[in-house]
Amino acid sequence: SALAVTVPALPDLEVELLLDTLSCEDPRALISAQVLSGADSTLTLAWSNGEQAPATELTQAGSYSLEVSNACETVVLPFTLAPPRVQPSSLLYLPNAFSPNDDGVNDIYRAYLSSDAAWTEYRFMIFDRWGDMLYETFDPEEGWDGVFRGERMNVGVYAYYLEGTISACGGRSFELELKGDVTLVR
């Protein structure tokens, strides 16, 4: 006598990736796999970095993949981890006023970088309202003291132009060009 048995088909293997992002503050991204259907006792996960767990931690931007297999099929999921998005202007601070009155506070006008960034190229200029250049430096540690040709400049608004390249966020280079104004007060 024969016994009729129905074996249900294993549903198609469906996997969803949950991608974290890299940031300059935390250069680690957690990438995890969620098996939506098709999981069985033979399920294996193999990340392109060698991990064999439901999640992996990545620290470098680039192209990766996850290979998921069950008793019936193998699914390969390629993905790209993008480099951190950074606004170069967020890496520095330019005051909107300074007071070169020799009191030791805010006497020099210059750009200030965040602690995890460094200049690789730098040019900073100050102009009067007629467009005459009053100050120029290629040294990011130097700043304008409100003096032009030995004369203390009048209270007022002056224009600045800053261009350079900043190395930050794991050695990435960011080109920067900023124009604006600063108020000199005494």
Side-chain angles (χ1 to χ4, degrees), residues 29-157:
L30 181 66
I31 313 301
S32 57
Q34 183 176 8
V35 179
L36 303 174
S37 66
D40 67 5
S41 62
T42 67
L43 188 71
T44 60
L45 293 97
W47 299 91
S48 56
N49 67 352
E51 294 284 327
Q52 295 187 349
T56 189
E57 190 175 88
L58 301 172
T59 58
Q60 296 292 320
S63 296
Y64 298 91
S65 65
L66 169 64
E67 185 176 290
V68 182
S69 299
N70 64 13
C72 299
E73 65 182 309
T74 297
V75 174
V76 177
L77 301 163
F79 63 95
T80 300
L81 186 60
R85 286 189 214 159
V86 177
Q87 289 286 33
S89 60
S90 71
L91 298 171
L92 74 129
Y93 170 68
L94 274 162
N96 58 7
F98 78 118
S99 59
N101 56 9
D102 298 322
D103 67 355
V105 179
N106 205 17
D107 287 331
I108 302 293
Y109 185 67
R110 60 178 279 250
Y112 298 91
L113 274 184
S114 65
S115 61
D116 59 343
W119 291 104
T120 56
E121 293 180 38
Y122 182 83
R123 183 179 184 201
F124 185 58
M125 297 176 284
I126 301 289
F127 299 89
D128 65 17
R129 63 182 165 185
W130 296 281
D132 296 322
M133 185 169 48
L134 306 178
Y135 176 78
E136 179 179 30
T137 185
F138 295 91
D139 182 349
E141 297 302 315
E142 291 181 4
W144 185 44
D145 61 2
V147 174
F148 177 64
R149 293 186 182 159
E151 297 280 327
R152 290 171 50 136
M153 300 307 296
N154 292 328
V155 169
V157 177

